[in-house]
Amino acid sequence: MFFVDTLELEGLGNRSYLAGGARSAVVVDPPRDIDQVLAVAARRGVRISHVVETHLHNDYVSGGLELARVTGAVYLVPAGAGVSFSRVPVADGDTVDVDAGLELRAVATPGHTPHHTSYVLREDGVPVAAFTGGSLLIGTVGRPDLVEPRLTAELARAQHASAHRLAAELPDETSVLPTHGFGSFCSSAQAEGDATTIGREKAVNAALTEDVDSFVARLLAGLDDVPAYYTHMSPANAGGPAPVDLTPPAVADAEEIAARLAAGEWVVDLRSRVAFAEGHVAGSYNFEADGKLATYLAWMIPWGKPVTLLAESPEQVAAAQRELVRVGIDRPAGAATGVPEAWVPEGGRPVSFPRSTFAGLAERGTDGVVVLDVRRNSERAAGHIAGSVHLPVHELHKRLGEVPTGTVWVHCAGGMRAAIAASLLHAAGRDVVAVDDGFDAADAAGLTVTGPGDPDDPGHRSDRADRADRADRADRADRADR
C-alpha cells in the first residue's frame, strides 16, 4: 500500500507532499525549512529516495536542493528549468521507481511556467495520484503571468492543453494533489475544498469545461496583483538556495529598537491587531503572526532592508522566522519579546490608535474624514464605499503622500490588512482609525456601497453576474483576512 502525507504551508497557501511505500518515499515541492519534512519521513520510517520539483517556484524558496544533499536523495528538476547546480533533469515520460510496485512518471504540463512538469504516482501500473504543482488545481489552474508578460497568453493556452492532457490520460478516480491553490497568489483563483479528483475537475474546472478561447479570456481577465517579492524567488531557486538558520536572533533592547527605527529600518510587531492598537512602539508596523505574515511583509518591505521582530513570546518569534525564511528573509536583525512598555526607552511610553467597525463609521458619518480602502483592485471592483479613497495595502508604504489630509478610517475585507495600513499611517504621523470588521457589514451598517454594476458609479457596467462572480472570488481569496 502507498501513502501520501500532506505538509500544509498555510501562511503561503501551498502544500508539499511525502509519498511512498514501506521503505522509501519521494518529496514533492518541499519548503525551505526541511526539518518538518524529515520529521514526517522519520515518523513513517521511510528513506527519502527522491526529491522532485514541479517548476522553479515564484512564491517561495525551495528546500529541494538542501533536502537532497542531507538525505542523499536524487534531485529531479524539469529539464527546461535553467539552474546553476547539479540535478537530474526530467523530461516528459521519464519514470523512477519509488518503492516496490510504486513508480513516478513525469508529465510535461506547461502553462504555469514553460517548463512545468507534473508527476503521476502509479501503483502496480495504475495511476493513483497526480502531483500537479501549479498546473491543474482544485477548480482552477495556476496563473500564467509570472514568467514573462509576453508569454502570458501563450502560457494560458498551454494551461488549457495541459489540463486536458491530464484529464485524458488519467482515470477519473485519480487524486489531484496540487502545490498551489490554498491561498497562494500563484493560483489564478482560490480553491474550493481541500481535495479533488480528475473526475471532479472534469465537471467543475473551467479549463476542462470551456473552449480554449473562452477559458483564456476569463483567465486573463481575472488575474490579480503579483506580490513584489516574487521577483526574487525564481532567481533564488535557480541559483541554489542556501541552508536556513533558525537559531534565535540577537535580543534587541529598547535603545537598539529606537536606533533601528531612527536608521529607517523596519521594526515589525507580530502581536494581534487588537494588542497593537492598544499600545505599541511609535514607528513600528503591525504584521500579525497569525495572518499572512510572509506574504504581506515580503511584498511590502524594501528587499534586503533589516527587520527587527517584536513579539509576545520566543515561540512567536520562532514561528515568524520559519515563515520568513520560506520567502528569503533569512535572519532578523534582532528581536524582543514581552510587552511594549519594555520596548521603549526610559521616559517614553507606547502609543495607540482607536479601532472601530463599519457601524461605527456609519454612526460617525463619512463627511469630514478620509475613508481609505486598502483592498486589492479586484475586491474594489466588486463593490466599495461611495466616496472612499483606494490604495491597495501593498502599495501604501510608497504612496502615503497620496492619502488626503484628515483623520483616516482605513478598512479592508476583514481587518488584518487594515491593521497593517493603520500602523503605516500612524507611524507616518497620521490620525487613524482601524476598521476591524468584515466588508459585508458595510452595507448592513447603512453605508452607501457602490460598484461597477451600479448606475451612479463611474465604472458602471451592466453585467451584474460578472460583478457577483468577482465579489465571490475576492471574498474567497481573502478568508485569511478575517
Side-chain angles (χ1 to χ4, degrees):
M1 288 289 293
F2 74 96
F3 71 86
V4 177
D5 288 337
T6 301
L7 291 84
E8 296 276 1
L9 303 178
E10 294 182 0
L12 294 175
N14 288 325
R15 290 178 175 176
S16 296
Y17 301 93
L18 177 78
R23 293 180 299 278
S24 57
V26 58
V27 178
V28 181
D29 290 343
R32 194 176 180 200
D33 49 323
I34 63 172
D35 55 333
Q36 61 175 331
V37 181
L38 295 171
V40 173
R43 286 196 295 271
R44 281 284 184 179
V46 294
R47 176 180 66 90
I48 296 175
S49 59
H50 296 80
V51 177
V52 304
E53 304 282 7
T54 57
H55 61 294
L56 285 186
H57 306 284
N58 286 285
D59 61 333
Y60 71 94
V61 180
S62 173
L65 181 63
E66 179 65 5
L67 183 61
R69 185 190 69 79
V70 168
T71 62
V74 178
Y75 191 26
L76 307 179
V77 178
V83 298
S84 60
F85 50 82
S86 177
R87 89 290 186 209
V88 175
V90 177
D92 184 51
D94 287 351
T95 61
V96 295
D97 293 327
V98 177
D99 202 284
L102 277 184
E103 179 186 70
L104 199 68
R105 177 174 177 265
V107 180
T109 49
H112 185 48
T113 66
H115 61 268
H116 190 283
T117 301
S118 298
Y119 298 89
V120 176
L121 186 67
R122 299 192 292 196
E123 184 178 41
D124 297 327
V126 178
V128 291
F131 301 100
T132 55
S135 182
L136 187 64
L137 310 185
I138 300 179
T140 185
V141 295
R143 59 194 299 169
D145 60 328
L146 301 179
V147 177
E148 159 62 54
R150 291 171 295 183
L151 295 178
T152 297
E154 176 186 337
L155 289 177
R157 290 182 173 273
Q159 279 290 52
H160 188 270
S162 292
H164 278 264
R165 180 184 180 185
L166 291 170
E169 294 185 3
L170 299 176
D172 283 357
E173 60 271 19
T174 307
S175 295
V176 176
L177 303 173
T179 300
H180 304 313
F182 311 96
S184 168
F185 280 83
C186 274
S187 173
S188 61
Q190 295 309 303
E192 284 288 355
D194 291 326
T196 194
T197 62
I198 289 291
R200 181 179 183 275
E201 292 309 305
K202 285 181 179 179
V204 303
N205 198 309
L208 297 172
T209 60
E210 296 182 349
D211 65 85
V212 63
D213 290 332
S214 299
F215 167 76
V216 169
R218 179 187 291 269
L219 179 63
L220 298 185
L223 294 174
D224 214 329
D225 298 329
V226 178
Y229 76 90
Y230 278 24
T231 302
H232 306 281
M233 297 300 96
S234 185
N237 287 322
V244 299
D245 179 3
L246 292 175
T247 57
V251 175
D253 60 20
E255 286 68 28
E256 181 177 347
I257 293 170
R260 291 193 176 280
L261 284 168
E265 297 181 10
W266 279 38
V267 174
V268 171
D269 193 324
L270 302 170
R271 296 174 303 141
S272 75
R273 55 186 182 257
V274 176
F276 183 87
E278 290 177 348
H280 58 272
V281 177
S284 62
Y285 302 144
N286 182 214
F287 290 81
E288 291 181 299
D290 293 336
K292 295 179 76 67
L293 168 67
T295 295
Y296 282 102
L297 180 55
W299 196 337
M300 296 170 67
I301 190 171
W303 200 251
K305 184 175 283 292
V307 59
T308 297
L309 303 177
L310 308 180
E312 293 175 344
S313 66
E315 291 75 20
Q316 196 173 56
V317 171
Q321 278 186 264
R322 185 175 291 274
E323 285 282 314
L324 294 176
V325 297
R326 293 171 179 166
V327 292
I329 301 177
D330 282 6
R331 292 293 299 166
T337 59
V339 295
E341 288 78 9
W343 303 333
V344 295
E346 187 175 353
R349 59 183 179 83
V351 296
S352 63
F353 55 76
R355 298 165 51 250
S356 190
T357 61
F358 285 110
L361 175 58
E363 182 178 356
R364 190 261 174 236
T366 57
D367 291 341
V369 298
V370 179
V371 179
L372 178 62
D373 180 350
V374 296
R375 298 174 301 157
R376 293 189 297 278
N377 293 329
S378 59
E379 299 170 276
R380 172 81 174 181
H384 58 270
I385 296 172
S388 61
V389 176
H390 180 227
L391 288 173
V393 69
H394 57 271
E395 299 178 9
L396 181 61
H397 62 301
K398 297 179 180 178
R399 301 175 63 187
L400 287 169
E402 298 179 32
V403 181
T405 58
T407 299
V408 183
W409 286 62
V410 58
H411 79 85
C412 58
M416 180 193 75
R417 289 173 295 169
I420 295 173
S423 71
L424 294 171
L425 289 161
H426 198 244
R430 298 298 301 269
D431 291 329
V432 63
V433 179
V435 178
D436 194 355
D437 205 354
F439 185 70
D440 53 2
D443 185 64
L447 295 165
T448 302
V449 177
T450 68
D454 295 299
D456 60 345
D457 186 81
H460 170 64
R461 279 205 322 264
S462 60
D463 189 354
R464 288 181 179 273
D466 182 61
R467 176 188 172 193
D469 178 65
R470 290 172 70 86
D472 180 62
R473 272 206 315 273
D475 178 68
R476 285 184 280 122
D478 243 6
R479 279 176 289 187
D481 189 31
R482 297 175 181 260

